[in-house]
Structure formats: structure tokens, C-alpha cells
Amino acid sequence: MIRRTVIAALLVASLSIPTAALAQENIPPDKDDAPSRYLPTPPVEYPGGVHSLRDVTFAELSGFRPLTLDLYLPPDGGAPRPVIVFVHGGAWIHRTARDGGTFPDFPAVLASYAARGYVVASVNYRFSSEARFPGPVMDVEMAIQWLRGHATAYNIDTSRFVAWGSSAGSQIATLIGTGCGATDLTPPAGRTPQPSACVQGVIDWYGIIDLESHAADLGKDDSSGINKSEDAYLGCPVHQCPAGLARSASPLAYIDAHDPPFLIQHGLADVTVSPKQAQRLHDALRAAGVPSELVMYPGVSHGFARVPGGGPDDAVNRQALAKVTEYLDHYFPVSPAKR
């Protein structure tokens, strides 16, 4: 396991932008508890008294598009709520905060958890064409910091955050989960100190975990082009990158006994991200004494898609969500009176 302080200069050199450009304009926290100028669209209403604030700007980086998230808020009142931060997939090159794989209406899925009493944030981050690793990781961490900074406005329990990622988004979520406090992953400070970007739980859906072993886990080699997305994300061919860079993009590099509990779910027929990646993460967490549950779905491919055919497998989608609910109820319970 590499040290938590992987050579910072190495990572900065891998970025497609200078460090100074990462400095964020701080979006003022809780000044008037109504950051309305960052809410360009009217709320979307969902069952259970849930309303969604879409395209909320949480950071403005010099030279880049504003970074936004969608918020799903339970009805007002009650004690501060736990927070679910969803990080979408898309090989770090596409998709949005409203994309959840084969689910036809993923915003409705996220809203259903808000109806259970959670504050849910689904985050848009920069793609590898805009910022290489660790830029996208820092983007999601800035979203977490912003949410903690606006805890009063959105009735947030700052001590209970869950990062939930799918595919490439799971690489980000799991890295945030194990890399708490790693200086190489922490966003550069702005004009004022920022809240913690650490989380207290992680849900991994079919995530790419170890970029160095990914091709071999799929029975391929570098010449097959299987690492194309990873190469773009790192800014160099995975096995030709500066020493330590690819390893530092893996949650395996940071695992220790202080990490939060994990729920890992993966399809056994996945030929996009090998299920060996999930097994490797689960084994490393358990070896460190970290609570981890691994759920594998036979005959299911990437995105919990049906094999053959590739379409949605509604039964598996329901099972996967049931496991998420079970995990949240166990580690991040919400009083029934607040649901």
C-alpha cells in the first residue's frame, strides 16, 4: 500500500490545467440559508413531499463550466438528515447526474430515498477531456464540502454522508471513502477554510477499482485498447504513467482500518468492468478489518443489464436497490417519524 501522501507534485503534473486554475470561488455557506442565485430551474416535485432542485452550482473554477448538482430534499422538519451523494458513471467521459445505468428514470429512484428521509445530491463533475485525475475526484469532494457548508439551509447531518457511485463514478466514490484526508486528493483551499470532504459510508455499483489490473482481469492486454478510458483519465497510458500515479487512483492504495463500511454490488457476467475488481476491493477491506458486504449477481452484465440482450433486468435492479436500502437502514437509519 502506498503512503497516503503520494507525491503531490506528481499528481499536479498529471492534471491538464495548472494548480491555480483549481482554486474555487467559494459559494457562500448559509449566509441567508437561501442560495437562490445558484438555482436556475424551478423545483421538480416528487411523491412523498420531495422536491428536487436541479443544476445547483456548488463550485466555479477558473476556466471551466460551473460545477452543478441535483438536490432531492425530503419534507421540511425533524432532525438533520443523512446525506447520499451519488456519482454517475460514463468512463469519465460522458453522462450526467440524472443517469443511473439501466434504470429508466433514475431521478425518481433518487427521489424515493429522499422520501425515506435522506438528503440526496447527484453530482456533475469534469470529464477527462476537461481535467485529468485527480480533478474529477476533487470536484465531488468540493460538492461534499459545499453540502456541509450549507447544512443549515438543507437540514443536513454533517456527520453522516454516504458516497454512492456507479462504474467510473464508483472509482471516485470508493477513492473518497478510503482516501479521507489524503493531501493528494484534497481540493486546493480557497480564500476560506472548507469543511471536511470525508464520508462515513460507501456504496459501489460495478466500479472500476484498480486501473493497473483492469485489462488483465478481463483477460486482455494493453494492446487491445481496453485501457483507453483509463489512459485519458490519467493523461498517460496506464502502464507508462509516472511511477505511483495509476496506483494512487485506486482505493486499494489508501485502505486502512479507519475506513467506513462498504456495500459492493457487481454482475458476474460483466465484461466491461470485471467482477474481479469488486472481489479485490472486498478482500482488501475485509483484510483491513473494514465492514464490507459483496453481492454478486449471476447472469448480469455491466449496469446490471440482462444477459443476453443487454436490456434492463428489472428484478436485479429491485434487488440492488433493496440491498442499498438495507445498508442505509443499518448504518444510516432515519427515524420512521421523519419518513
Side-chain angles (χ1 to χ4, degrees), residues 35-61:
S36 58
R37 78 180 179 94
Y38 301 104
L39 308 179
T41 58
V44 178
E45 303 300 325
Y46 286 94
V50 172
H51 61 282
S52 174
L53 307 176
R54 293 190 165 187
D55 302 316
V56 181
T57 298
F58 65 84
E60 294 176 333
L61 308 181

Side-chain angles (χ1 to χ4, degrees), residues 103 161 279:
F103 288 86
F161 271 64
Q279 188 70 58

Side-chain angles (χ1 to χ4, degrees), residues 26-217:
N26 291 306
I27 308 301
D30 289 348
K31 283 284 187 177
D32 54 7
D33 287 351
S36 58
R37 78 180 179 94
Y38 301 104
L39 308 179
T41 58
V44 178
E45 303 300 325
Y46 286 94
V50 172
H51 61 282
S52 174
L53 307 176
R54 293 190 165 187
D55 302 316
V56 181
T57 298
F58 65 84
E60 294 176 333
L61 308 181
S62 176
F64 295 92
R65 59 185 166 93
L67 296 176
T68 65
L69 53 80
D70 288 353
L71 271 175
Y72 300 82
L73 301 172
D76 294 336
R81 313 294 186 132
V83 179
I84 301 169
V85 178
F86 184 77
V87 190
H88 70 83
W92 310 285
I93 60 173
H94 66 150
R95 303 197 186 281
T96 75
R98 292 164 207 162
D99 192 303
T102 59
F103 288 86
D105 186 357
F106 198 65
V109 172
L110 297 178
S112 72
Y113 283 99
R116 295 179 59 85
Y118 298 91
V119 171
V120 182
S122 190
V123 182
N124 289 305
Y125 51 89
R126 288 172 296 171
F127 299 132
S128 53
S129 60
E130 301 170 285
R132 297 168 185 161
F133 170 79
V137 178
M138 292 182 176
D139 293 349
V140 178
E141 290 192 329
M142 283 189 285
I144 294 169
Q145 292 174 330
W146 184 90
L147 288 161
R148 282 197 168 102
H150 289 80
T152 302
Y154 300 120
N155 198 26
I156 285 172
D157 182 345
T158 59
S159 68
R160 295 200 291 167
F161 271 64
V162 182
W164 173 9
S166 65
S167 194
S170 274
Q171 181 271 336
I172 295 173
T174 57
L175 194 57
I176 291 172
T178 62
C180 174
T183 56
D184 314 306
L185 305 176
T186 303
R191 294 187 294 271
T192 58
Q194 295 295 307
S196 169
C198 296
V199 296
Q200 290 69 51
V202 179
I203 300 168
D204 164 18
W205 275 9
Y206 44 87
I208 181 167
I209 299 303
D210 183 2
L211 278 63
E212 293 176 300
S213 69
H214 181 223
D217 283 349

